[in-house]
Amino acid sequence: QVQLVESGGGLVQAGGSLRLSCVASGRTFNTYTMGWFRQAPGKEREFVAVISRNGGSTYYAESVKGRFTIIRDNDKNTYLQMNSLKSEDTAVYYCAANVKYGLGTSWAWYDHWGQGTQVTVSS
């Protein structure tokens, strides 16, 4: 089992930056693929970014490509660096984990979820 805790959300002006963090505890961290998802009010949870077990591969949603970067370290942390934020990026952001190999983009692919952190971008 793994437990995930996100932090780093907040209120930021359009064009600004935020860095979200996700700390994992429990099972060996490098056995998990890590992903970030988001859910805006009245909308379905959507894929944002994913990083492979060894950090060597990443994949992004088209809507965030070139603005967001997913990073992981060897100390159980996964980050989502968000630059050039837009009002449409406003959502609750969740990190997720799965022991499978691959770069899952569906929320159903992931077994473990954090509680979420709110990101609000004012225009």
Side-chain angles (χ1 to χ4, degrees), residues 47-101:
F47 166 76
V48 175
V50 58
I51 189 165
S52 61
R53 291 183 171 201
N54 64 3
S57 298
T58 59
Y59 185 76
Y60 298 91
E62 283 298 321
S63 59
V64 307
K65 197 173 292 183
R67 299 189 298 122
F68 291 11
T69 304
I70 186 170
I71 309 160
R72 68 189 295 168
D73 62 22
N74 294 324
D75 201 24
K76 299 188 176 182
N77 298 300
T78 306
Y79 304 99
L80 186 68
Q81 177 66 43
M82 305 186 296
N83 299 328
S84 302
L85 283 161
K86 306 174 182 179
S87 57
E88 51 262 46
D89 295 319
T90 295
V92 176
Y93 283 71
Y94 300 88
C95 71
N98 197 307
V99 295
K100 298 176 185 176
Y101 286 98

Side-chain angles (χ1 to χ4, degrees), residues 1-4 24-28 32 99 111-113:
Q1 280 285 13
V2 65
Q3 291 77 45
L4 305 173
S25 61
R27 183 173 169 172
T28 306
Y32 286 93
V99 295
D111 291 333
H112 308 282
W113 293 86

Side-chain angles (χ1 to χ4, degrees), residues 30-52:
N30 61 6
T31 64
Y32 286 93
T33 298
M34 300 298 297
W36 284 96
F37 285 73
R38 66 187 181 186
Q39 188 166 18
K43 295 188 177 181
E44 293 187 353
R45 190 168 299 191
E46 66 171 357
F47 166 76
V48 175
V50 58
I51 189 165
S52 61

